Amino acid sequence: MDYLIRTIRADEWEKAREIRLAALRDPVAHLAFLETYETAVARPDSFWRERTEGASENGTGVRQFVAEAPDGSWAGTITVLVERPSDEVRFGTPAKVDQTHVVGVYVRPEARGSGLTEELFRAGVEWSWALPEPAVERVRLYVHEDNARAGAFYRRFGFVATEETVAMPGDDSACEVEYEIRRPTGI
C-alpha cells in the first residue's frame, strides 16, 4: 500500500490523539514512551489541539510526521524536536550542539515490516538537515535498553549508540540509551 508521508495539519488533533492513544496501548509502550495510556486519555481536548498545532507546519521547533494511507487513515507517526544548546532540557543530557531529537515513534502492527518506518525516519532526518541556520549537527533519540526491536531498527537506519545513558524516569534500575546520526559532510 502506498502512503503519503507528511507533516500533520493543525486541525487534525483528533487523529493525532487517536494514533497517540493507539501507540500507548502497544505491548511495548512501557519501554517506548514516557507517558501512560491512562494519563493521555484523561487529557482535555485543549491539550491535543495545542499539541497538534505546535507540531504542525504552523509550529516552531517541532514537527510531527504521519504516514497517511489512501483512505485517510494514519499508519504511523514520528515527532522531531529541535534542541539548541541554550534550550531547557526536555529529556536526557543537555544539547551541546544544535540538534534534533526523535520521539513518539509508532507504526501500527499491520504496517510494520513494510518500509514505512524507514520512510517516516527519512522525512524526520531530512527535515532536520534542512532547518535554517544554525545547522543541526546531529539527530538523536533514546531507546530503552530492553527495547531490542527498536534498537535494531535504529542501528539498521544508521543510528549509532553514544556513550550517554539516562535512568528511566520512575525506574532507576533501567536506562535509556542515546543513539545519534551525525550530519553528513556536504549537506
Side-chain angles (χ1 to χ4, degrees), residues 32-54:
F33 302 106
L34 299 179
E35 178 179 40
T36 66
Y37 174 82
E38 293 75 21
T39 300
V41 78
R43 295 189 186 276
D45 291 351
S46 60
F47 169 85
W48 296 102
R49 284 185 182 102
E50 289 172 24
R51 180 176 174 150
T52 304
E53 171 76 23

Side-chain angles (χ1 to χ4, degrees), residues 86-104:
S86 60
D87 291 347
E88 182 179 325
V89 178
R90 290 181 176 133
F91 182 79
T93 59
K96 296 179 183 103
V97 298
D98 293 295
Q99 62 190 23
T100 57
H101 186 161
V102 174
V103 298

Side-chain angles (χ1 to χ4, degrees), residues 26-33 105 112 141-155 168 174-177 179:
D26 190 274
V28 297
H30 66 287
L31 298 178
F33 302 106
V105 177
R112 293 177 188 159
L141 56 82
Y142 285 89
V143 63
H144 191 285
E145 63 187 342
D146 293 335
N147 195 343
R149 180 182 76 195
F153 169 78
Y154 301 143
R155 289 187 299 277
M168 186 72 176
C175 72
E176 297 265 335
V177 179
Y179 280 74

